[in-house]
């Protein structure tokens, strides 16, 4: 059975849980309290020297990290990762864009706001705000008139971007002015075997 | 012929130029002065709504962005991208790690230091320093005893990490205490058809 080391509110861990669930791959959820140092223990650093969740251990014992790389590994050979070279390129492009131009702004802001000492992060939050707005505006323009991010079909690009976009309000980014994003979020949530982030540890 | 829109000192653009050169794919280099706003013109934003170089236009007219996604697209079917699922996963893992845990610290520091008003970035540079050191230490431990990053053969993971690591000194990160990294840099530079960053526009 797969074992997923993850932190309870993490969207990066949620991506992996959602994909495993939709691929009908059962997994054991191993809660890893990063605020209490659980991703800095010698045992955890043995799994991932980078000290970050999620970590996925496969039934064969392979240890995988970097959420979007895990998505590509698990989705290979499924309809969630197109074979066509250009469509596959587009999936890759969105996955790299997510990690560089979306996650550091929206996910990181959400993480700071959820900390007990959130008020100490006011300056940092303000500094990340323009990047988050730019990311949402780019998604809104792209999704206007499209069903999904790539090739009008549900792929791991949608899973990856869904994770933090659907919780953008918890990062103080309202989606009120982004109707195309909101309609896309609804389509993603309506996919067969959808799993909510709140249920990821009980899949 | 391929057309590469790139900024003269960019390591992200260099990755693409180096791979094109090593795959014997001639390209036209289109200098894009991002400091003068050349990546913010309506024409450029038409190519890449994210307003970033590099952009690669293929001979068929396909417009590609996100440097590491371009590497994966160009390397498909070559020895630079392994077919084995686990080795390919490892390549992906390094590419995502590069964009999240290496580039924002080392490349961004180097970029600020190269600006005419570099002295205004002292606080930001200090804030990015621990992340850069952490990245180099992780690479040093991984490369100690290994020939290349993945599977002991030269892949696009090496190309991607080489781009900014070999210029780390220009970001004020000395490689003096990283002998495994320095030996690996030498091995990468000794690969057939290597192209230096200084020659990328004349390949």
């Amino acid at each position: 059975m797969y074992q997923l080391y993850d932190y309870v509110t993490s969207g990066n861990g949620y991506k992996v849980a959602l994909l495993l669930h939709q691929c009908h791959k059962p997994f054991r959820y191993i809660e890893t309290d990063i605020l209490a140092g659980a991703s800095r223990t010698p045992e955890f650093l043995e799994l991932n020297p980078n000290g970050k969740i999620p970590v996925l251990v496969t039934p064969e014992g392979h240890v995988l990290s970097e959420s979007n790389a895990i998505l590509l590994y698990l989705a290979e050979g499924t309809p969630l990762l197109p074979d066509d070279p250009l469509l596959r390129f587009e999936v890759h492009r969105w996955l790299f864009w997510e990690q560089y131009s979306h996650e550091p702004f929206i996910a990181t802001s959400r993480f700071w706001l959820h900390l007990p000492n959130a008020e100490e992060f006011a300056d940092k939050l303000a500094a990340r705000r323009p990047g988050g707005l730019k990311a949402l505006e780019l998604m809104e323009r792209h999704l206007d008139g499209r069903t999904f991010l790539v090739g009008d079909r549900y792929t791991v690009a949608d899973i990856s971007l869904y994770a933090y976009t659907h919780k953008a309000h918890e990062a103080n980014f309202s989606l009120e002015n982004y109707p195309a994003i909101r309609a896309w979020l609804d389509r993603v949530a309506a996919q067969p075997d959808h799993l909510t982030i709140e249920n990821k540890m009980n899949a």
Side-chain angles (χ1 to χ4, degrees), chain A:
Chain A
M1 188 184 270
Y2 288 90
Q3 299 179 67
L4 178 60
Y5 292 78
D6 184 26
Y7 179 60
V8 58
T9 64
S10 170
N12 287 320
Y14 171 50
K15 297 171 191 173
V16 179
L18 175 54
L19 178 57
L20 285 167
H21 190 66
Q22 291 188 313
C23 292
H24 308 110
K25 294 180 172 169
F27 60 94
R28 186 158 78 91
Y29 188 92
I30 302 171
E31 203 167 323
T32 309
D33 187 351
I34 61 174
L35 299 188
S39 55
R40 302 281 163 186
T41 64
E43 294 75 20
F44 190 88
L45 291 172
E46 188 75 26
L47 291 174
N48 182 9
N50 202 30
K52 285 186 194 293
I53 55 90
V55 167
L56 184 69
V57 183
T58 71
E60 302 81 24
H62 302 304
V63 180
L64 314 180
S65 60
E66 293 290 334
S67 60
N68 287 348
I70 299 173
L71 295 187
L72 290 174
Y73 178 82
L74 293 172
E76 185 65 65
T78 78
L80 295 169
L81 183 58
D83 284 325
D84 174 80
L86 275 172
L87 292 178
R88 183 167 289 216
F89 162 78
E90 292 293 333
V91 169
H92 290 163
R93 184 172 71 81
W94 281 107
L95 295 183
F96 286 109
W97 180 82
E98 193 265 348
Q99 283 290 288
Y100 197 85
S101 300
H102 184 292
E103 207 267 14
F105 305 102
I106 295 174
T108 302
S109 297
R110 176 173 171 265
F111 180 73
W112 287 333
L113 283 163
H114 128 104
L115 293 175
N117 57 338
E119 67 283 359
E120 294 170 25
F121 289 86
D123 289 351
K124 287 186 168 186
L125 283 162
R128 301 283 173 121
R129 192 146 187 91
L133 293 171
K134 184 186 168 193
L136 293 174
E137 278 151 27
L138 189 144
M139 287 182 73
E140 177 71 17
R141 283 199 307 275
H142 182 80
L143 285 165
D144 187 17
R146 285 187 174 90
T147 313
F148 293 108
L149 286 168
V150 177
D152 273 340
R153 96 182 189 210
Y154 181 63
T155 69
V156 287
D158 300 295
I159 289 179
S160 181
L161 265 306
Y162 180 82
Y164 287 108
T165 307
H166 91 295
K167 289 294 187 187
H169 56 283
E170 295 183 1
N172 285 351
F173 289 97
S174 164
L175 295 181
E176 195 182 337
N177 295 322
Y178 301 103
I181 292 180
R182 285 187 279 112
W184 165 78
L185 291 176
D186 289 345
R187 284 190 292 274
V188 172
Q191 287 296 301
D193 296 310
H194 184 70
L195 177 74
T196 66
I197 191 167
E198 288 78 12
N199 271 326
K200 67 177 176 173
M201 61 283 293
N202 311 308

